[in-house]
Amino acid sequence: MTRLSQAIGRIQPSATLAMTGRVTELKRAGVDVIGLSAGEPDFDTPEFVKEAAIAAIRNGQTKYTVVDGTAELKAAIAGKFRRDNGLDFEAGQISVNVGGKHTLFNALVATIDPGDEVVIPAPYWVSYPDIVAFAGGTPVAIEAKAEQAYKITPEQLDAAITPRTRWVLLNSPSNPSGAAYSADELKALGEVIRRHPHVLVLTDDMYEHIFYADYPFTTIAQLCPDLIDRVLTVNGCSKAYAMTGWRIGYAGGPAWLIKAMAKLQSQSTSNPCSIAQAAATAALNGPQDFLAERQEAFRVRRDLVVGMLNEAPGLVCPTPEGAFYVYPDASGCIGKTTPKGLRIDSDEALIGYFLDEARVAAVHGAAFGLSPAFRVSYATSEAVLREACSRIQTACAALR
């Protein structure tokens, strides 16, 4: 009667969403807790995007659309790929989905059979391995530690690929580490992939416009055009345009894959919200100058958080090249004891200590496949970040 499917048994609830839910509960109970677990910009959706959505409602754009995106939105996405990435896609090579996670889900579920392997650099976004597992595949993690700037090497990638490898997943800038690959680093990974013609590449570029490195953002299809027939380039409106709740993700890739993704979507969600699609069209076609302003605000926050966390005993916080996360190595805290006598034997225990004693919520590194560490989102005000980091410093100093 209560039996669930094997597929649902292969996955876990999202650790990031679980912690965000916990913070919401504590705040409702009147607890002074600072939530740094959610991957969500604190900026508002731009006014011109909101106005486009309102106009769409008033103009009656409230009906079903083509399953995987309106012609107008696909044209806007094609324009974005040309403008920002030097990539040319036709409408039949573009998929529009209910958020970036849905894009990933469609692509992987449409292409993975039991026994297929998917290579995923760790630390990774929490949903990658679970989507692979749900589809019946096997996630194969490559650990990229702090000393290698949380980036895998070509040698590591080559060693991880087998005849069963179906996909390699790349995420630059990365959630959770903020690490970003340079053009030369991506070309080196592309050279490995070139030697394995059975391997597809999914590149998650969601944080493209939150980028601080002294080299320009690039993506692998742009740098390795001979691989474009086996690369799916994924992006969305959530982070750059502060449209997390609008739920619009998209991708450009080979027509055979886009068609398969649309087939799956036709039997699951059908089209993304028509109003959100109109808003996304405006976002991609409209003024882009505010992106640089917001990026600079995130850079200031990054520098504040990195500086303060590196002053906390037991933490080493690398400086990320993008996104709005830091991923401090917490090796120096493991094995210590809290003032109440609790031994910190894992990064999950450390995060529990921060929440219970410092009233700061972060996400433990084990959820991202690389411990001991934790993820902090700095997508909030400088004042809040300063207070949160001060609390973490105090909590770390109290460990013995």
Side-chain angles (χ1 to χ4, degrees):
M1 193 74 175
T2 59
R3 182 175 64 85
L4 299 175
S5 71
Q6 293 182 9
I8 202 70
R10 291 193 292 267
I11 65 174
Q12 300 295 323
S14 167
T16 55
L17 294 181
M19 180 58 81
T20 301
R22 176 69 176 137
V23 170
T24 300
E25 292 173 1
L26 288 171
K27 287 184 175 180
R28 284 176 179 168
V31 177
D32 174 26
V33 61
I34 299 175
L36 302 180
S37 58
E40 183 171 51
D42 60 323
F43 297 113
D44 197 9
T45 303
E47 286 300 316
F48 74 92
V49 176
K50 295 182 190 176
E51 290 302 321
I54 293 168
I57 295 171
R58 289 176 174 159
N59 292 335
Q61 296 178 31
T62 56
K63 308 298 184 184
Y64 293 132
T65 75
V66 175
V67 164
D68 64 343
T70 63
E72 294 79 10
L73 179 50
K74 287 193 172 189
I77 292 167
K80 173 263 179 285
F81 277 128
R82 282 192 299 271
R83 177 183 70 227
D84 297 340
N85 312 115
L87 297 173
D88 287 314
F89 292 113
E90 299 177 355
Q93 296 175 293
I94 292 174
S95 177
V96 183
N97 317 105
V98 188
K101 187 180 293 187
H102 188 215
T103 308
L104 298 166
F105 185 92
N106 283 354
L108 296 174
V109 171
T111 55
I112 291 176
D113 287 318
D116 288 341
E117 296 176 350
V118 177
V119 175
I120 309 173
Y124 45 65
W125 182 44
V126 294
S127 293
Y128 291 155
D130 283 86
I131 293 173
V132 171
F134 182 86
T138 301
V140 177
I142 304 176
E143 286 196 354
K145 297 181 182 296
E147 53 264 32
Q148 60 193 80
Y150 294 128
K151 294 185 276 191
I152 63 169
T153 66
E155 294 75 19
Q156 284 180 300
L157 178 59
D158 198 41
I161 292 174
T162 75
R164 295 182 298 277
T165 303
R166 183 64 167 153
W167 287 93
V168 170
L169 266 58
L170 298 175
N171 177 209
S172 174
S174 161
N175 176 2
S177 71
Y181 290 89
S182 69
D184 287 343
E185 289 167 334
L186 283 175
K187 286 179 181 177
L189 297 179
E191 181 57 37
V192 173
I193 293 162
R194 193 172 286 117
R195 296 198 298 267
H196 301 279
H198 65 291
V199 174
L200 301 170
V201 182
L202 191 157
T203 176
D204 181 348
D205 296 351
M206 190 65 69
Y207 296 90
E208 169 185 6
H209 290 297
I210 307 171
F211 191 78
Y212 324 111
D214 57 3
Y215 48 83
F217 173 86
T218 49
T219 192
I220 195 164
Q222 173 186 12
L223 297 168
C224 304
D226 60 307
L227 299 178
I228 197 165
D229 288 340
R230 48 192 177 113
V231 175
L232 185 71
T233 304
V234 177
N235 213 309
C237 295
S238 293
K239 312 302 181 180
Y241 299 95
M243 294 176 66
T244 50
W246 299 78
R247 309 309 302 136
I248 295 291
Y250 59 83
W256 67 267
L257 176 57
I258 299 300
K259 183 178 180 180
M261 292 167 64
K263 181 179 180 181
L264 176 59
Q265 189 160 318
S266 75
Q267 296 290 9
S268 55
T269 62
S270 296
N271 64 274
C273 170
S274 61
I275 309 306
Q277 289 191 70
T281 302
L284 295 173
N285 285 340
Q288 307 292 302
D289 53 327
F290 68 93
L291 295 175
E293 297 170 5
R294 293 183 176 188
Q295 177 178 280
E296 184 56 31
F298 280 129
R299 183 200 300 270
V300 171
R301 297 171 184 184
R302 176 201 66 172
D303 293 345
L304 168 66
V305 171
V306 169
M308 291 191 70
L309 290 184
N310 274 323
E311 294 174 1
L315 301 183
V316 176
C317 186
T319 301
E321 293 97 343
F324 40 68
Y325 310 106
V326 293
Y327 199 69
D329 184 305
S331 300
C333 295
I334 304 303
K336 292 187 176 181
T337 303
T338 72
K340 292 183 177 180
L342 173 68
R343 186 174 184 274
I344 302 298
D345 59 1
S346 66
D347 51 31
E348 188 168 11
L350 180 64
I351 291 308
Y353 167 59
F354 288 161
L355 183 61
D356 293 340
E357 300 302 325
R359 295 305 188 191
V360 176
V363 185
H364 61 289
F368 303 102
L370 188 70
S371 294
F374 59 94
R375 189 192 79 173
V376 162
S377 169
Y378 52 86
T380 189
S381 72
E382 292 178 49
V384 170
L385 292 171
R386 197 178 300 277
E387 173 62 21
C389 291
S390 177
R391 293 183 187 187
I392 289 174
Q393 287 176 343
T394 301
C396 288
L399 295 174
R400 294 290 182 267

